[in-house]
Amino acid sequence: MVLSKVWGATLLAGFAVAQTYPPDVVDQLAKDSLPKLKEWLERNPQEGCTYETAVKRREWRDLTVEERKAYTDAVLCLQSKPALTSDQAPGAKSRFDDYVVIHIQQTPRNHGSYWNWDRYAKDPANSPLFDGSEGSMGSNGAKEEHQGIPIPGAPPPYNMIPPGDGGGCVTSGPFKNMTVNVGPIAPTLNVQRNPRADGLGYNPRCLRRDINKHSAAVTTANYTYDLITNNHEIYWFQTVMEGQFPQGKWGVHAGGHYTVSGDPAGDFYVSPGDPVFWLHHAMIDRVWWIWQLQDLDSRLTQVSMTKTMNNFPPSENGTLDDLSGLGVLAPDVTVRELMNTMGGIGGKFCYIYE
């Protein structure tokens, strides 16, 4: 959960254009909470970061087509540069793959712990994110029959997501010719196995998606608003966000991932291999940011759970002094620094969401 701030901060840029969607209840909550941030900054000046100088992160549809294309071009550029992790992951062929490798290696530690989901929840496949146009993140996958997406640990009928209208290779948009190189580890579709058990071997295949409105239905603004306003401690905020599958309760985190689904987006370990992962996790960061704004004095320092996913194997509790451990991606910094978007890491973190 903590490192969602790193994943969101690494690739997402902020641009200024007019908003074209009416604000939902979460947007309004964020706007109403900004005076709390300004008041906190007056009492706690940050290192060169002020409300006026902070980068304003904006939702995908609020960018111009040219700005969206600049983002996807940057992803394609990463995919054209040689990997730095190939010594430990032979399947890694690009700098983009490096992010997937680090995520695979960190998954047991960082889980279980921006796109605005609500805007497109009713019809995600035809949204500005996935309509396959030049200004999209690529299309749905070609129609390919499959049985649906199993959800381990959930009781019927919550243990199987009905199939969407995709399942095959992405056919249009900036990533129609993209090659997925590493994984799978926990595939949701019938794709070729990786030659290594750890998923780090070379396993080239197309990018597959099954854009799914059944999954998107649990990401509407009412779920996000209730998550933020009804959970006052980090343990419950985190638990409800992730989902309580044995009780048949989805979280918005899982809902966003399974809205895209496919390969690698539906794979718990390899999901950063689909470029849309980064927009989803920036929204996770935004939701956490809005939750923090409700009580900055307390919530900027709240951490929860142990250092291993679901405490397996058993481990000690996480602390604010733990290091990020992002390998070749970035120098180690403490969790304490990652918690503060308005002055963390010596002022390098300086952004808000609009």
Side-chain angles (χ1 to χ4, degrees):
M1 174 65 184
V2 166
L3 290 186
S4 289
K5 288 202 177 284
V6 176
W7 299 119
T10 305
L11 288 184
L12 190 68
F15 300 98
V17 295
Q19 184 172 350
T20 56
Y21 281 71
D24 59 42
V25 291
V26 178
D27 299 332
Q28 191 62 49
L29 177 62
K31 180 179 179 181
D32 292 344
S33 301
L34 287 177
K36 299 178 183 179
L37 175 61
K38 294 176 182 179
E39 188 273 333
W40 183 86
L41 285 169
E42 289 179 0
R43 292 188 288 108
N44 301 275
Q46 301 299 296
E47 299 185 53
C49 181
T50 67
Y51 180 82
E52 291 72 26
T53 61
V55 169
K56 311 300 191 294
R57 289 185 168 187
R58 300 182 185 275
E59 207 274 338
W60 183 255
R61 184 58 180 84
D62 295 338
L63 307 180
T64 66
V65 171
E66 290 76 16
E67 289 166 341
R68 285 182 250 158
K69 189 173 184 302
Y71 181 90
T72 56
D73 283 348
V75 176
L76 293 170
C77 179
L78 284 174
Q79 293 176 350
S80 72
K81 304 298 183 182
L84 299 180
T85 58
S86 53
D87 58 333
Q88 52 190 299
K93 302 301 179 184
S94 71
R95 290 291 284 133
F96 184 80
D97 289 342
D98 289 338
Y99 288 84
V100 185
V101 169
I102 298 298
H103 187 270
I104 290 172
Q105 294 173 333
Q106 291 287 336
T107 291
R109 170 184 165 187
N110 296 338
H111 289 79
S113 33
Y114 159 57
W115 86 71
N116 188 334
W117 305 312
D118 182 80
R119 288 187 174 187
Y120 317 128
K122 291 183 179 179
D123 189 13
N126 294 306
S127 73
L129 272 177
F130 300 116
D131 63 12
S133 65
E134 182 182 53
S136 73
M137 291 293 286
S139 69
N140 196 2
K143 179 65 175 177
E144 189 169 295
E145 297 297 329
H146 63 94
Q147 297 301 308
I149 307 301
I151 305 297
Y158 307 103
N159 61 335
M160 183 67 72
I161 306 170
D165 293 323
C169 300
V170 167
T171 58
S172 60
F175 304 115
K176 64 182 179 181
N177 296 319
M178 178 180 158
T179 299
V180 179
N181 292 319
V182 297
I185 294 178
T188 55
L189 296 176
N190 184 24
V191 295
Q192 61 199 47
R193 298 178 62 180
N194 195 278
R196 289 174 43 146
D198 62 6
L200 298 179
Y202 184 46
N203 191 29
R205 58 202 188 277
C206 71
L207 173 66
R208 293 170 176 260
R209 289 178 179 156
D210 188 31
I211 307 298
N212 197 297
K213 64 182 180 181
H214 303 286
S215 302
V218 302
T219 66
T220 51
N222 57 301
Y223 289 102
T224 306
Y225 183 85
D226 289 347
L227 167 69
I228 295 169
T229 58
N230 291 340
N231 299 281
H232 306 297
E233 301 295 329
I234 188 61
Y235 172 84
W236 283 110
F237 173 77
Q238 184 171 324
T239 298
V240 173
M241 173 181 275
E242 296 288 352
Q244 298 165 283
F245 293 107
Q247 290 82 42
K249 297 179 180 179
W250 281 49
V252 292
H253 179 216
H257 277 293
Y258 288 121
T259 295
V260 186
S261 197
D263 173 51
D267 189 316
F268 183 63
Y269 296 84
V270 195
S271 52
D274 188 320
V276 83
F277 166 97
W278 305 97
L279 276 68
H280 172 51
H281 265 263
M283 180 62 174
I284 293 288
D285 185 61
R286 176 182 183 244
V287 172
W288 191 20
W289 175 78
I290 299 170
W291 181 83
Q292 287 180 313
L293 292 185
Q294 308 314 302
D295 184 3
L296 283 160
D297 287 327
S298 168
R299 297 182 182 184
L300 276 176
T301 56
Q302 283 194 32
V303 294
S304 179
M305 300 188 181
T306 66
K307 295 182 179 180
T308 49
M309 182 170 57
N310 299 324
N311 198 31
F312 181 81
S315 61
E316 60 187 355
N317 289 334
T319 74
L320 293 172
D321 295 320
D322 292 337
L323 297 176
S324 56
L326 291 180
V328 300
L329 300 181
D332 280 346
V333 295
T334 64
V335 168
R336 187 186 312 276
E337 293 294 323
L338 301 180
M339 297 283 278
N340 183 7
T341 70
M342 294 292 293
I345 319 181
K348 292 180 181 179
F349 269 14
C350 186
Y351 64 90
I352 63 174
Y353 287 92
E354 288 193 338

